[in-house]
Amino acid sequence: MSESSVFTRILRGEIPSEIIAETENAFAIRDIAPQAPVHLLVIPKSEQYRDVVELAAGDPALLAELVGLANSLAAEHADGDFRLIFNTGPGAGQTVFHVHAHVLGGGLSEGSLGG
Ligand code: 5GP
């Protein structure tokens, strides 16, 4: 058995982090190292899928649940507009292999792809 991911440990309360929203199968926290005025992470409760490609193939409804949660959080914490980023693979900056979406909002620069 490999060790539980940092996000599973947060969900279990083993690592402190406020859970700011929750749905049946997903939850959200603030990123510990924010890259934008609003930088949240939306995460499935299960760590079964390591990245968004696996998630989309295995459970598209759960992917849609993540997008819906991101949308409500952007309405609550920013002006409703947001950037949704799934880093996929180490070469793209993924460091936690428990799929999660970065929700960036609030004062993003126009026309930029970066956070
Ligand atoms: P990745 O690099 O895999 O796309 O994103 C992982 C994100 O998780 C990073 O932005 C990192 O700052 C965040 N992160 C890692 N450990 C923790 C933690 O213990 N608490 C919180 N709130 N965020 C974390």
Side-chain angles (χ1 to χ4, degrees):
M1 273 282 278
S2 57
E3 217 174 274
S4 298
S5 77
V6 63
F7 300 143
T8 295
R9 298 183 65 205
I10 286 171
L11 186 62
R12 289 188 191 137
E14 295 168 7
I15 295 175
S17 185
E18 185 190 353
I19 293 178
I20 58 169
E22 193 171 353
T23 60
E24 189 183 350
N25 302 300
F27 67 104
I29 59 175
R30 291 188 183 83
D31 198 292
I32 204 169
Q35 306 294 312
V38 175
H39 186 171
L40 310 175
L41 300 173
V42 173
I43 310 161
K45 289 179 180 173
S46 160
E47 64 175 80
Q48 176 180 2
Y49 302 106
R50 54 188 277 117
D51 60 37
V52 69
V53 176
E54 283 192 5
L55 175 63
D59 193 344
L62 179 52
L63 176 55
E65 192 173 322
L66 294 188
V67 174
L69 181 54
N71 186 45
S72 4
L73 286 165
E76 191 182 334
H77 293 266
D79 63 4
D81 292 345
F82 62 100
R83 196 170 283 157
L84 193 62
I85 296 173
F86 290 90
N87 293 328
T88 306
Q94 186 175 4
T95 57
V96 179
F97 295 88
H98 170 169
V99 61
H100 54 280
H102 296 257
V103 182
L104 303 178
L108 299 172
S109 53
E110 283 179 38
S112 156
L113 278 177

Short mmCIF file of all heavy atoms in Angstrom, two decimals, residues 6-7 10 17 29-33 41 87 93-96 100 102, ligand 1:
data_model
loop_
_atom_site.label_atom_id
_atom_site.label_comp_id
_atom_site.label_asym_id
_atom_site.label_seq_id
_atom_site.Cartn_x
_atom_site.Cartn_y
_atom_site.Cartn_z
N VAL A 6 -1.38 13.85 0.22
CA VAL A 6 -1.52 14.99 1.13
C VAL A 6 -2.99 15.43 1.21
O VAL A 6 -3.48 15.82 2.28
CB VAL A 6 -0.58 16.15 0.71
CG1 VAL A 6 -0.91 16.69 -0.66
CG2 VAL A 6 -0.59 17.27 1.72
N PHE A 7 -3.73 15.33 0.10
CA PHE A 7 -5.13 15.78 0.11
C PHE A 7 -6.01 14.81 0.89
O PHE A 7 -6.92 15.24 1.60
CB PHE A 7 -5.64 15.96 -1.33
CG PHE A 7 -4.86 16.98 -2.12
CD1 PHE A 7 -4.60 16.80 -3.47
CD2 PHE A 7 -4.38 18.13 -1.50
CE1 PHE A 7 -3.87 17.74 -4.18
CE2 PHE A 7 -3.65 19.08 -2.21
CZ PHE A 7 -3.40 18.88 -3.56
N ILE A 10 -5.45 15.65 4.44
CA ILE A 10 -6.18 16.86 4.82
C ILE A 10 -7.64 16.51 5.06
O ILE A 10 -8.25 16.92 6.06
CB ILE A 10 -6.02 17.95 3.74
CG1 ILE A 10 -4.60 18.55 3.82
CG2 ILE A 10 -7.08 19.03 3.88
CD1 ILE A 10 -4.23 19.48 2.68
N SER A 17 -5.95 22.01 7.42
CA SER A 17 -6.31 22.89 6.31
C SER A 17 -7.83 23.01 6.35
O SER A 17 -8.52 22.00 6.47
CB SER A 17 -5.88 22.28 4.96
OG SER A 17 -6.14 23.18 3.92
N ILE A 29 -10.09 23.34 -0.80
CA ILE A 29 -9.24 24.01 0.19
C ILE A 29 -8.55 25.19 -0.50
O ILE A 29 -8.56 25.30 -1.72
CB ILE A 29 -8.17 23.04 0.77
CG1 ILE A 29 -7.27 22.49 -0.36
CG2 ILE A 29 -8.81 21.91 1.55
CD1 ILE A 29 -6.11 21.63 0.16
N ARG A 30 -7.94 26.06 0.32
CA ARG A 30 -7.08 27.12 -0.24
C ARG A 30 -5.70 26.54 -0.50
O ARG A 30 -5.18 25.79 0.34
CB ARG A 30 -6.96 28.28 0.74
CG ARG A 30 -8.24 29.05 0.90
CD ARG A 30 -8.04 30.32 1.74
NE ARG A 30 -9.34 30.96 1.89
CZ ARG A 30 -10.23 30.59 2.82
NH1 ARG A 30 -9.93 29.66 3.70
NH2 ARG A 30 -11.41 31.18 2.88
N ASP A 31 -5.10 26.91 -1.63
CA ASP A 31 -3.73 26.46 -1.89
C ASP A 31 -2.79 27.09 -0.87
O ASP A 31 -2.90 28.28 -0.56
CB ASP A 31 -3.30 26.81 -3.32
CG ASP A 31 -2.11 25.99 -3.76
OD1 ASP A 31 -1.01 26.20 -3.20
OD2 ASP A 31 -2.26 25.13 -4.63
N ILE A 32 -1.86 26.29 -0.37
CA ILE A 32 -0.93 26.78 0.65
C ILE A 32 0.06 27.79 0.07
O ILE A 32 0.65 28.59 0.82
CB ILE A 32 -0.19 25.57 1.29
CG1 ILE A 32 0.32 25.88 2.67
CG2 ILE A 32 0.92 25.06 0.39
CD1 ILE A 32 0.81 24.66 3.43
N ALA A 33 0.25 27.78 -1.23
CA ALA A 33 1.20 28.70 -1.90
C ALA A 33 0.48 29.40 -3.05
O ALA A 33 0.69 29.07 -4.22
CB ALA A 33 2.40 27.91 -2.41
N LEU A 41 -8.15 24.84 -4.47
CA LEU A 41 -7.98 23.51 -5.06
C LEU A 41 -9.29 22.76 -4.88
O LEU A 41 -9.85 22.75 -3.78
CB LEU A 41 -6.85 22.75 -4.35
CG LEU A 41 -5.47 23.39 -4.41
CD1 LEU A 41 -4.49 22.61 -3.53
CD2 LEU A 41 -4.95 23.45 -5.84
N ASN A 87 -2.76 20.52 -13.77
CA ASN A 87 -1.41 20.13 -14.16
C ASN A 87 -1.40 18.62 -14.34
O ASN A 87 -1.88 17.89 -13.47
CB ASN A 87 -0.40 20.57 -13.09
CG ASN A 87 -0.29 22.08 -12.99
OD1 ASN A 87 -0.43 22.77 -13.99
ND2 ASN A 87 -0.04 22.58 -11.79
N GLY A 93 4.36 20.31 -14.12
CA GLY A 93 4.31 20.89 -12.78
C GLY A 93 3.44 20.15 -11.79
O GLY A 93 3.26 20.61 -10.66
N GLN A 94 2.91 18.98 -12.18
CA GLN A 94 2.10 18.24 -11.20
C GLN A 94 3.01 17.65 -10.13
O GLN A 94 4.02 17.01 -10.43
CB GLN A 94 1.31 17.11 -11.89
CG GLN A 94 0.34 16.42 -10.92
CD GLN A 94 -0.55 15.37 -11.60
OE1 GLN A 94 -0.41 15.08 -12.78
NE2 GLN A 94 -1.46 14.82 -10.82
N THR A 95 2.66 17.91 -8.87
CA THR A 95 3.46 17.40 -7.76
C THR A 95 2.66 16.46 -6.86
O THR A 95 3.24 15.69 -6.11
CB THR A 95 4.02 18.56 -6.90
OG1 THR A 95 2.92 19.35 -6.44
CG2 THR A 95 4.97 19.43 -7.68
N VAL A 96 1.34 16.56 -6.91
CA VAL A 96 0.48 15.68 -6.10
C VAL A 96 -0.34 14.83 -7.07
O VAL A 96 -1.12 15.36 -7.86
CB VAL A 96 -0.45 16.50 -5.18
CG1 VAL A 96 -1.34 15.57 -4.37
CG2 VAL A 96 0.37 17.41 -4.25
N HIS A 100 -6.55 16.98 -8.97
CA HIS A 100 -7.10 18.20 -8.36
C HIS A 100 -7.08 19.30 -9.41
O HIS A 100 -6.20 19.33 -10.27
CB HIS A 100 -6.27 18.62 -7.14
CG HIS A 100 -4.82 18.78 -7.46
ND1 HIS A 100 -3.97 17.70 -7.55
CD2 HIS A 100 -4.08 19.87 -7.77
CE1 HIS A 100 -2.76 18.12 -7.88
NE2 HIS A 100 -2.80 19.44 -8.02
N HIS A 102 -6.84 23.42 -9.98
CA HIS A 102 -6.53 24.74 -9.43
C HIS A 102 -7.61 25.69 -9.93
O HIS A 102 -7.85 25.77 -11.14
CB HIS A 102 -5.18 25.25 -9.91
CG HIS A 102 -4.02 24.41 -9.47
ND1 HIS A 102 -3.17 24.79 -8.44
CD2 HIS A 102 -3.55 23.21 -9.90
CE1 HIS A 102 -2.24 23.86 -8.27
NE2 HIS A 102 -2.44 22.90 -9.15
P1 5GP B 1 0.22 20.45 -8.44
O1 5GP B 1 1.59 21.03 -8.40
O2 5GP B 1 0.24 18.95 -8.19
O3 5GP B 1 -0.60 20.82 -9.63
O4 5GP B 1 -0.56 21.13 -7.23
C1 5GP B 1 -0.39 20.77 -5.90
C2 5GP B 1 -0.75 22.00 -5.10
O5 5GP B 1 -1.00 21.59 -3.77
C3 5GP B 1 0.37 23.05 -5.05
O6 5GP B 1 -0.11 24.27 -5.62
C4 5GP B 1 0.68 23.17 -3.58
O7 5GP B 1 0.92 24.51 -3.18
C5 5GP B 1 -0.56 22.60 -2.91
N1 5GP B 1 -0.30 21.97 -1.63
C6 5GP B 1 0.67 21.03 -1.37
N2 5GP B 1 0.64 20.67 -0.07
C7 5GP B 1 -0.39 21.37 0.49
C8 5GP B 1 -0.92 21.43 1.83
O8 5GP B 1 -0.47 20.75 2.75
N3 5GP B 1 -1.97 22.27 2.03
C9 5GP B 1 -2.52 23.02 1.02
N4 5GP B 1 -3.55 23.81 1.34
N5 5GP B 1 -2.03 23.01 -0.23
C10 5GP B 1 -0.97 22.19 -0.50
#
